[in-house]
Amino acid sequence: MAITVVGSVAFDTVETPAGRRERCLAGAATYFSLAASYFTQVRVIAVVGEDFGPSEQAVFDAQKIDTRGIERAPGKSFFWQGSYLDNLNEAKTLKTDLNVFAGFEPKIPDAYRDSEFLFLANIDPVLQRRVREATPNAKLVAGDTMNYWIKDHKPALLEVLKGLDILLINDTETRMLAGNGNLLLAARAVLQMGPRMLVVKHGEYGATLFHKSIPKGQNSESFRAPALPLEEVVDPTGAGDSFAGGFFGYLASQSELTPGAFRRAMFYGSVMGSFAVERFGTDRLQQLSRDEIDQRFALFRELTHLD
Amino acid sequence: MAITVVGSVAFDTVETPAGRRERCLAGAATYFSLAASYFTQVRVIAVVGEDFGPSEQAVFDAQKIDTRGIERAPGKSFFWQGSYLDNLNEAKTLKTDLNVFAGFEPKIPDAYRDSEFLFLANIDPVLQRRVREATPNAKLVAGDTMNYWIKDHKPALLEVLKGLDILLINDTETRMLAGNGNLLLAARAVLQMGPRMLVVKHGEYGATLFHKSIPKGQNSESFRAPALPLEEVVDPTGAGDSFAGGFFGYLASQSELTPGAFRRAMFYGSVMGSFAVERFGTDRLQQLSRDEIDQRFALFRELTHLD
């Protein structure tokens, strides 16, 4: 099944303990698309500026990602500059230039209308909602958000949550959204806001899937996937978006969405997140093979399974 | 196989968001012994004061824990007062009275000499080493320590590490001991200091076992056990010691220490840690059944296993 994703396609300048990279191709929709492209057909809705050239286009083409929904606008693409020198787990934002993204009006190509999977990457919830409403055929809708929208645009965000099947956010965002410091109670509160599943990403500790549908015991409504202890995290940017791409891409590749499929999807999410951080920007995600992915999946199983 | 454990038997006064408890029976050796007692015979070496009465003795007796190595000294038992009101993940120490513990000289009863498993709970590394040297028959030796000893008594601690098979510490202690912020690299550095296995406890995110013995791939030297998302953490005190008790107790109950036994031991460690925090002090650990323990073990498997 094809996935439509709406989000940012951007350029990032990042500095990490491993070095510095200027203006690498980035953005949530880029990380998501590349990660998901190893599992299924991906269609992107975004806006880029005149600095998005043939070499950037080639990155999407190589993975057969449909970019007819990437609008070209006069001006420059969204630009973000951040540093992880103080803390590899949290970026310090040095600069954010919205550029063409400031006037982003998502347009959904007709060719995308039959996408049964929709991913709303982290953008203004007003835009997320508009895309959601314009894709009534989507049978599984997932989305991301961030502290900024939770804090200052909560009413709009709550409207988005009502239309989501799955929300993917991190620990801090979950606690902030629910106003509850206990993760399990916070997760349950978020599940009351609309989504029937919540994936909480714990960074280097993996991620937990909470869902409402199996109320058979105290904690059996959850599933935890590990992260891989890594020798070197070159650039943590995009780990969450890559997790989402692996998770949702794997689901879209399945003929039936069984509980087991969701468990494996959590593992594939962690796998794609672990690859993403091994190189700057999307470098690692551009040059994977399904074999490498499945080998790492096996490593994750080995890391956590009793037998 | 019997386990000998040396460590503190103490009284704690704690305040947490769930309430306040005055002078409850506590101490690393107490938590460890109770947790391990569901799996095997446990023998304690400690010192207590005149405030350790029949009701405290009864707690050990109920679990058939051998207390012939608990010395009674004139004065008061070790006392600790802490608060988790600001942060459930880290205690703020309000008071520490060493009392009889200040002059602790561990004495090993002859009846303990055939213990093949030895656990050195978090005490002065000089004492840990003395007990280690006095139990040459131990075939598996594990131990714990804390930031205070790492920072200010490192040479003595390094001597202890040379005599350990397994060290159990948390993330921060691992990074501090190795002087390396990357957990995997820090773990490898600690494994160069003596122990052939290192269990790093991640609090609410579980624990990872690192070992030198299976160098077959990038990360296959590790195994990660989850923690349980809990609705309420009543009192986090002793979670790490209870983990150690479940982990080491299970190992001591096995006729052969296979790689699978270590994996299951990690799960049993997490299981006992999850019980410990459900009530104040050792309340929950005093009234478990092996059935309850195995049911939770199954829950942990369900929480993490693909099939």
Side-chain angles (χ1 to χ4, degrees), chain B residues 50-99:
Chain B
E50 291 149 317
D51 47 4
F52 185 92
S55 66
E56 285 77 25
Q57 180 63 45
V59 170
F60 290 88
D61 292 346
Q63 286 300 118
K64 301 191 170 51
I65 296 166
D66 192 331
T67 57
R68 283 176 286 179
I70 300 186
E71 183 190 342
R72 314 286 179 126
K76 285 186 139 188
S77 301
F78 183 32
F79 173 76
W80 177 80
Q81 184 173 350
S83 170
Y84 297 91
L85 291 181
D86 292 339
N87 182 356
L88 257 181
N89 293 312
E90 203 182 328
K92 193 195 322 180
T93 293
L94 300 175
K95 201 173 186 185
T96 304
D97 292 334
L98 288 179
N99 296 327

Side-chain angles (χ1 to χ4, degrees), chain A residues 7-253:
Chain A
S8 58
V9 172
F11 290 93
D12 283 0
T13 291
V14 289
E15 46 187 17
T16 83
R20 180 186 169 92
R21 182 70 69 91
E22 302 280 341
R23 293 185 58 77
C24 51
L25 177 64
T30 309
Y31 281 104
F32 178 94
S33 301
L34 288 170
S37 70
Y38 291 93
F39 302 92
T40 194
Q41 164 73 54
V42 185
R43 298 157 170 174
V44 190
I45 299 171
V47 61
V48 294
E50 292 148 318
D51 47 5
F52 185 92
S55 65
E56 285 77 24
Q57 180 63 46
V59 169
F60 290 88
D61 292 345
Q63 285 301 115
K64 300 193 172 48
I65 296 165
D66 193 331
T67 56
R68 282 175 289 180
I70 301 187
E71 185 191 339
R72 314 287 179 123
K76 284 185 141 190
S77 300
F78 183 34
F79 173 78
W80 178 80
Q81 184 174 349
S83 170
Y84 297 90
L85 291 181
D86 291 339
N87 182 355
L88 258 181
N89 293 311
E90 203 182 328
K92 194 197 317 180
T93 293
L94 301 175
K95 201 173 185 185
T96 305
D97 294 334
L98 287 179
N99 296 328
V100 298
F101 215 73
F104 183 34
E105 292 281 351
K107 291 168 202 72
I108 303 169
D110 282 340
Y112 288 16
R113 301 247 169 224
D114 65 345
S115 288
E116 294 192 357
F117 287 74
L118 175 64
F119 189 77
L120 308 170
N122 168 34
I123 51 171
D124 187 335
V126 170
L127 300 184
Q128 289 181 314
R129 190 182 175 191
R130 205 173 295 160
V131 173
R132 173 68 187 96
E133 286 173 351
T135 50
N137 294 331
K139 74 171 188 186
L140 198 72
V141 185
D144 189 5
T145 190
M146 68 184 288
N147 49 8
Y148 173 72
W149 308 114
I150 296 172
K151 234 176 83 194
D152 296 335
H153 295 76
K154 198 160 176 184
L157 178 61
L158 291 176
E159 286 305 311
V160 174
L161 296 185
K162 290 180 193 164
L164 284 190
D165 295 294
I166 312 171
L167 176 66
L168 295 95
I169 50 181
N170 69 28
D171 288 53
T172 310
E173 291 157 355
T174 305
R175 294 184 164 110
M176 189 189 285
L177 182 55
N180 192 320
N182 177 291
L183 191 63
L184 181 57
L185 298 180
R188 286 193 190 142
V190 169
L191 289 170
Q192 292 307 312
M193 298 174 188
R196 58 193 174 88
M197 298 194 191
L198 170 68
V199 175
V200 182
K201 295 168 286 181
H202 312 307
E204 64 175 316
Y205 299 115
T208 305
L209 172 69
F210 295 94
H211 49 104
K212 302 193 240 193
S213 54
I214 311 175
K216 73 180 172 189
Q218 187 191 3
N219 278 282
S220 58
E221 78 261 49
S222 54
F223 179 69
R224 186 162 281 188
L228 199 64
L230 289 169
E231 250 178 79
E232 188 182 33
V233 173
V234 171
D235 176 7
T237 316
D241 302 312
S242 305
F243 179 101
F247 173 80
F248 212 52
Y250 178 77
L251 286 177
S253 76

Side-chain angles (χ1 to χ4, degrees), chain B residues 116-158:
Chain B
E116 294 193 357
F117 287 73
L118 174 65
F119 188 77
L120 309 170
N122 168 34
I123 50 170
D124 186 334
V126 170
L127 301 184
Q128 289 181 313
R129 189 182 175 191
R130 206 172 296 161
V131 174
R132 173 66 188 98
E133 285 171 352
T135 51
N137 295 329
K139 74 171 186 186
L140 198 71
V141 185
D144 189 5
T145 190
M146 66 183 292
N147 48 9
Y148 172 71
W149 307 115
I150 296 171
K151 235 176 83 196
D152 296 334
H153 295 75
K154 198 160 175 184
L157 179 60
L158 290 176

